[in-house]
């Protein structure tokens, strides 16, 4: 008997070692649920037959109105998760009792170089520690029981660049790996690996080379990469390639597979003038977890010109292809294709388009390279409408894969961009937004045409893709896709192109997804039939997850609007109607109703603007407008119910302290950085003059709307009367 037990134990150990990739069970051990991050669960207690009984088990209000993108981790009955800027939390997963919380000390000046809100996509848990990256790219190891700091590491390799971190750390054997963001600014991307126990740097791999004039590359595997760049590239502004998400450890191979970001600036003509593939932009790169050496790479968008990052979540699984079971990566990056790649050697097995694509004529199955289509997509000399657009066919919102059904579930966005180079030669600078391309999303092209220079507007109307935009500006859907063929099995429309909630699938045949209108929806994963919709009153972008404690299965999701385009709150969202109260919502069978945040009060007319600044002229206001859109508009949309302050509605105290706020950092602890290194007092006054003028015009417009019974958030009367 003892010999039999030993044989069985060895057999089970062998199965586990050979195939550690599998669906999550009672615990949800990574933000993706399992080692492969499939966002799929083996739990079946909640099923189509009883999903009508699903109700709230507990909720936690996190005291924030900024985006929540993380998927929680549950280990041994404790839920760990993260919030804005790298806050971390632990709760009793069954009762919601808070166990501890952690808030990193951050110099909020980092917000100067954060494109897409103070997002954070989760934590990693291993060896009694919780790992979380703060917005300023400091990595923390916290005691899992107390939340106290065990060690911390500053991952920034160059303080003069706009480096930040928003992704979840990844445990890879004896190290924890973290990447960075900032490609739109001046960053040279890289990933860093730290010893789990000590926090000592084990290795670092830059995803783009450095200036060859400095001598040998700082990593041996960049010597080949530098040959794919123009020697006279703009090395001084980094090149991009930032791996801000999509880092997966594959225990089968011992590789850390890293998805890399876009080039910076966007167009090759400004970045690497003589062209080239520019490794390792927009690629999957497999690194040895022990050494950081490159084992293989697959570049999905060589010489990226379109912000086609490969940082979208990947799934490690096994699939039978042409009669052979293979360990594979399932990956749908921004560029519009769904790839299947062998994770042992990076060999391309499938690349199927899932949206309209005109940047390429297709993927050559022999070489794995995209077939160029420069007439349709090269906007260096003339405007082009490029499909897909920069929001991406897929973005950070996780999809899920059910190996039993063989289906990939994800929100998919079929949208284009009008792209053209901004006039003149834009100076490129450190810690500044260095994009040199103007971009307008396809749903907005018609409205934008009257505001464009006549020559550009005329050229746009002559583009073949213009008719396609008129026919179908965009499609935003939740889809079930056969990854082997790229064919959609079923699809359900989303509320709008900003509505892209992540997904959770389960072995009971359910698919969970939240939307920004505030519903947590449950579908039949086979047919797409809506089985249940739970009103929450909170916008949901993050992927739901599920776990079991004490024999009870729970489903949890984090809820709050934000991320890319965060100041622009869609009118159809719960955040617009009811505010952006950040919450964790946890459900179980037999649970109760969800407390719905109260509706926001009616909009009020903008307060009266103060007198214009002494000496301000129309030229001053015009200069202030240019400075505002160059430096401030990334965060300040100046729209109704924006997450950030609407500066057309400043109160007297804010007007009085305007210089102190902008130049001296008066509101720095609140997240408003100072700009004294970039703007002079005269510049700040010009911006202020523009905002005073905008406030006066807004008030006049809204008083007229009020008089005529028009909603205050309707388009301005000047725009209405011009059509």
């Amino acid at each position: 008997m003892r010999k039999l037990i030993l044989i069985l134990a060895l057999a089970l150990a062998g199965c586990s070692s050979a195939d550690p990739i599998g669906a999550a069970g009672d615990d949800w051990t990574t933000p993706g649920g399992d080692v492969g991050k499939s966002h799929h669960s083996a739990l079946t207690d909640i099923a189509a037959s009883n999903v009508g009984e699903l109700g709230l088990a507990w909720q936690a209000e996190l005291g924030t109105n900024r985006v929540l993108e993380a998927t929680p981790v549950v280990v041994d009955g404790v839920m760990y998760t993260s919030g804005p800027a790298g806050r971390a939390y632990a709760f009793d997963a069954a009762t919601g009792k808070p166990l501890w919380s952690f808030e990193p000390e951050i110099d909020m000046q980092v917000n100067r170089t954060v494109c897409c809100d103070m997002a954070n996509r989760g934590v990693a848990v291993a060896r009694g520690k919780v790992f979380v990256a703060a917005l300023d790219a400091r990595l923390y190891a916290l005691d899992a029981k107390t939340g106290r700091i065990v060690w911390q590491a500053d991952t920034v390799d160059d303080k003069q660049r706009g480096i930040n971190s928003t992704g979840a750390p990844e445990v890879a054997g004896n190290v924890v790996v973290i990447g960075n963001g900032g490609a739109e600014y001046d960053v040279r991307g890289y990933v860093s690996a730290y010893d789990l126990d000590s926090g000592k740097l084990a290795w670092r791999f830059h995803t783009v080379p450095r200036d060859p004039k400095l001598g040998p590359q700082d990593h041996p595997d960049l010597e080949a990469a530098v040959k794919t760049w123009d020697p006279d590239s703009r090395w001084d502004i980094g090149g991009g390639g930032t791996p801000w998400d999509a880092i997966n450890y594959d225990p089968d191979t011992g590789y850390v597979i890293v998805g890399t970001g876009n080039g910076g600036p966007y167009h090759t003509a400004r970045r690497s003038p003589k062209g080239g593939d520019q490794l390792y932009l927009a690629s999957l790169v497999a690194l040895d977890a022990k050494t950081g050496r490159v084992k293989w790479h697959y570049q999905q968008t060589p010489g990226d010109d379109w912000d086609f990052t490969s940082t979208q979540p990947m799934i490690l699984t096994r699939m039978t292809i042409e009669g052979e079971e293979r360990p594979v990566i399932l990956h749908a990056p921004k560029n519009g294709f769904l790839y299947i790649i062998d994770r042992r050697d990076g060999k391309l097995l499938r690349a199927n388009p899932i949206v309209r694509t005109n940047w390429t004529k297709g993927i050559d199955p022999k070489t794995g390279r995209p077939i160029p289509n420069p007439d349709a997509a090269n906007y260096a000399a003339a405007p082009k409408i490029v499909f897909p657009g920069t929001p991406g066919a897929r973005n950070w919102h996780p999809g899920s894969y059910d190996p039993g059904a063989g289906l990939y579930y994800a929100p998919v966005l079929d949208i284009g961009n009008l792209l053209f180079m901004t006039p003149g030669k834009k100076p490129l600078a450190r810690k500044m937004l260095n994009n040199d391309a103007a971009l307008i999303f396809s749903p907005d092209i018609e409205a934008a045409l009257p505001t464009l220079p006549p020559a550009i507007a005329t050229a746009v109307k002559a583009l073949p893709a213009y008719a396609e935009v008129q026919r179908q500006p965009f499609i935003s859907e939740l889809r079930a896709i056969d990854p082997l063929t790229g064919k959609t099995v079923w699809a359900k429309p989303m509320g709008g192109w900003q509505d892209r909630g992540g997904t959770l699938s389960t072995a009971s045949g359910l698919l969970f997804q939240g939307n920004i209108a505030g519903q947590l929806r449950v579908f039949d994963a086979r047919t797409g039939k809506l089985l249940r919709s739970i009103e929450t009153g909170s916008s949901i972008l993050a992927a739901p997850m599920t776990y079991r404690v004490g024999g009870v299965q729970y489903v949890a999701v984090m809820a709050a609007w934000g991320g890319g385009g965060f100041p622009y709150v869609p009118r159809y969202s719960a955040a617009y109607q009811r505010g952006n109260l950040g919450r964790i919502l946890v459900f179980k069978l037999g649970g109760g109703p969800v407390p719905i945040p109260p509706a926001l009060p009616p909009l009020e007319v903008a307060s009266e603007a103060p007198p214009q600044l002494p000496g301000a002229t129309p030229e001053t206001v015009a200069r202030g407008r240019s400075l505002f859109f160059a430096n401030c508009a990334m965060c300040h949309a100046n729209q109704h119910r924006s997450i950030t302050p609407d500066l057309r509605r400043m109160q007297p105290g804010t007007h009085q302290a305007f210089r102190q706020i902008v130049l001296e950092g008066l509101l720095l602890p609140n997240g408003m950085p100072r700009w004294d290194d970039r703007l002079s007092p005269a510049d700040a006054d010009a911006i202020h003059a523009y905002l005073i003028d905008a406030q006066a015009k807004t008030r006049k417009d809204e008083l007229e709307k009020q008089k005529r019974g028009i909603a205050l958030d309707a388009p301005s009367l000047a725009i209405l009367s011009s059509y």
Side-chain angles (χ1 to χ4, degrees):
M1 175 64 75
R2 185 174 180 181
K3 183 177 180 181
L4 177 60
I5 292 173
L6 179 61
I7 291 171
L8 288 171
L10 289 171
L12 290 171
C15 291
S16 175
S17 174
D19 186 15
I21 308 296
D26 286 2
D27 285 349
W28 186 273
T29 57
T30 75
D34 50 48
V35 174
K37 297 184 180 176
S38 69
H39 286 267
H40 180 73
S41 172
L43 298 182
T44 59
D45 299 352
I46 300 172
S49 59
N50 59 21
V51 72
E53 302 170 27
L54 204 61
L56 189 73
W58 59 269
Q59 69 161 353
E61 296 181 5
L62 300 183
T64 181
N65 72 335
R66 301 303 281 265
V67 69
L68 296 176
E69 296 186 2
T71 302
V73 169
V74 171
V75 178
D76 296 334
V78 178
M79 175 185 288
Y80 306 97
T81 193
S82 65
R87 297 174 183 173
Y89 311 89
F91 298 91
D92 183 300
T95 67
K97 177 184 176 182
L99 301 178
W100 54 259
S101 63
F102 167 75
E103 182 160 1
E105 293 184 10
I106 297 175
D107 180 356
M108 283 299 180
Q109 194 67 12
V110 70
N111 277 319
R112 275 272 295 273
T113 54
V114 175
C115 75
C116 306
D117 207 350
M118 296 190 290
N120 191 281
R121 295 181 193 87
V123 301
V125 180
R127 296 188 189 174
K129 302 180 189 70
V130 177
F131 301 93
V132 65
L135 189 65
D136 62 358
R138 184 169 288 273
L139 180 64
Y140 291 90
L142 309 175
D143 186 292
K145 292 183 178 179
T146 66
R148 294 192 182 97
I149 298 173
V150 177
W151 57 257
Q152 57 182 294
D154 186 352
T155 75
V156 177
D157 74 333
D158 186 343
K159 297 293 185 182
Q160 302 305 310
R161 297 185 185 271
I163 294 166
N164 59 78
S165 281
T166 59
E170 176 76 349
V171 172
N174 293 318
V175 297
V176 56
V177 183
I178 189 66
N180 65 348
E184 285 74 21
Y185 292 85
D186 61 349
V187 174
R188 177 189 177 209
Y190 59 89
V191 289
S192 307
Y194 296 87
D195 182 87
L196 286 177
D197 296 323
S198 69
K200 181 181 178 181
L201 180 66
W203 51 261
R204 174 170 287 154
F205 174 75
H206 284 87
T207 54
V208 299
R210 67 178 185 176
D211 189 345
K213 294 185 180 68
L214 297 175
Q217 292 295 314
D218 44 12
H219 190 288
D221 296 322
L222 291 175
E223 294 296 344
V226 74
K227 297 175 183 177
T228 66
W229 290 71
D230 183 344
D232 295 321
S233 293
R234 287 300 306 267
W235 307 109
D236 56 320
I237 53 168
T242 50
W244 49 266
D245 205 12
I247 301 174
N248 284 42
Y249 175 59
D250 179 7
D252 279 352
T253 59
Y255 301 162
V256 178
I257 303 167
V258 178
T260 69
N262 57 282
Y266 276 176
H267 203 286
T268 293
R270 295 296 301 276
R271 184 177 67 242
S272 178
K274 294 179 183 176
D277 286 354
Q278 300 156 60
L279 293 172
Y280 293 96
L281 299 180
S283 302
L284 298 185
V285 184
L287 306 173
D288 186 296
K290 295 179 180 179
T291 65
R293 294 297 301 268
V294 174
K295 307 304 292 187
W296 58 258
H297 76 272
Y298 176 72
Q299 190 171 37
Q300 293 172 321
T301 312
D304 169 50
D305 287 334
W306 309 281
D307 188 23
F308 284 167
T309 62
S310 290
T311 53
Q312 290 57 54
M314 65 185 87
I315 292 170
L316 310 186
T317 188
R318 303 184 77 87
M319 299 181 73
T320 299
I321 300 176
E322 296 175 355
E324 179 185 352
E325 186 184 68
R326 292 175 177 263
V328 301
I329 302 165
L330 192 59
H331 192 228
K334 273 189 177 184
N335 73 11
F337 289 83
L338 176 55
Y339 295 85
I340 303 175
I341 297 167
D342 193 307
R343 49 188 157 99
R344 297 170 297 187
D345 55 14
K347 180 182 178 181
L348 177 67
L349 303 175
R350 294 287 189 279
N352 293 304
I354 56 175
V355 297
R356 292 171 287 180
T357 58
N358 70 351
W359 67 275
T360 177
K361 297 178 181 179
I363 307 298
D364 186 323
K366 294 182 179 179
T367 65
R369 295 180 61 85
I371 302 166
N373 193 20
D375 291 342
N378 187 354
Y379 57 92
K384 302 292 183 182
I385 296 173
V386 179
F387 285 92
T390 57
R394 292 276 298 114
N395 211 299
W396 66 264
H397 318 78
S400 54
Y401 176 67
D402 180 346
L407 294 178
Y408 173 70
Y409 306 98
V412 175
L413 178 61
D414 188 341
I415 195 173
N417 271 141
L418 169 60
L419 286 157
F420 57 92
M421 303 291 278
T422 52
K425 188 172 182 180
K426 181 179 177 181
L428 304 178
R430 287 291 185 95
K431 289 194 173 183
M432 287 304 301
L433 191 65
N434 280 314
N435 285 346
D436 55 351
L439 52 90
I440 300 169
F441 301 132
S442 58
D444 304 322
I445 289 177
E446 289 288 339
L449 284 177
T451 70
L452 297 176
I456 290 179
T458 300
V460 170
K461 291 179 181 179
L463 293 171
Y466 180 61
E468 181 63 19
V469 165
Q470 291 180 306
R471 183 190 73 81
Q472 183 61 265
F474 75 95
I475 302 168
S476 180
E477 293 179 328
L478 171 63
R479 294 184 187 173
I481 301 173
D482 180 343
L484 290 172
T485 64
K487 301 297 183 184
T488 297
V489 176
W490 58 258
K492 296 293 178 181
M494 300 293 292
W497 70 266
Q498 301 103 321
D499 195 5
R500 311 181 70 178
T503 64
L504 160 71
S505 56
T506 71
S508 58
L510 299 181
L511 182 70
F512 294 79
Q513 187 205 34
N515 62 24
I516 65 173
Q519 291 95 33
L520 177 65
R521 302 180 300 168
V522 190
F523 299 88
D524 184 310
R526 297 165 299 173
T527 66
K529 179 182 178 182
L530 181 64
L531 302 175
R532 182 77 194 281
S533 181
I534 301 174
E535 192 70 46
T536 72
S538 296
S539 293
I540 302 171
L541 290 166
M545 51 81 71
T546 187
Y547 59 94
R548 186 163 51 192
V549 178
V552 177
Q553 183 181 353
Y554 299 85
V555 174
V557 69
M558 300 187 75
W561 160 262
F566 66 98
Y568 300 87
V569 183
R571 290 182 63 180
Y572 63 89
S573 69
Y576 191 92
Q577 304 297 332
R578 300 181 180 276
N580 204 34
L581 175 68
R583 296 190 286 173
I584 303 173
L585 301 171
V586 182
F587 302 86
K588 68 176 182 178
L589 297 176
V594 180
I596 306 296
L600 294 176
L603 295 168
E604 296 183 359
V605 172
S607 58
E608 188 171 355
Q612 188 52 273
L613 299 181
T617 65
E619 290 75 21
T620 307
V621 171
R623 191 168 77 88
R625 183 182 186 278
S626 296
L627 288 167
F628 179 85
F629 280 97
N631 299 285
C632 315
M634 174 68 78
C635 297
H636 291 284
N638 286 354
Q639 299 222 339
H640 294 286
R641 294 181 175 169
S642 179
I643 290 175
T644 49
D646 181 348
L647 301 181
R648 304 169 305 170
R649 292 173 145 69
M650 287 190 286
Q651 297 302 307
T654 306
H655 281 289
Q656 292 170 10
F658 192 84
R659 270 200 189 185
Q660 290 174 280
I661 294 169
V662 174
L663 299 178
E664 300 175 22
L666 182 64
L667 299 181
L668 185 61
N670 296 348
M672 168 62 194
R674 66 186 183 279
W675 291 80
D676 54 322
D677 63 327
R678 172 76 175 172
L679 302 173
S680 68
D683 292 336
D685 288 347
I687 294 171
H688 194 190
Y690 160 66
L691 292 171
I692 290 171
D693 182 71
Q695 184 165 344
K697 290 177 178 176
T698 299
R699 178 174 172 80
K700 179 181 178 181
D701 182 71
E702 292 180 347
L703 284 171
E704 184 63 24
K705 286 177 182 174
Q706 190 178 65
K707 179 180 176 181
R708 294 169 59 174
I710 299 173
L712 296 186
D713 55 1
S716 74
L717 292 173
I719 292 175
L720 287 172
S721 62
S722 69
Y723 282 86

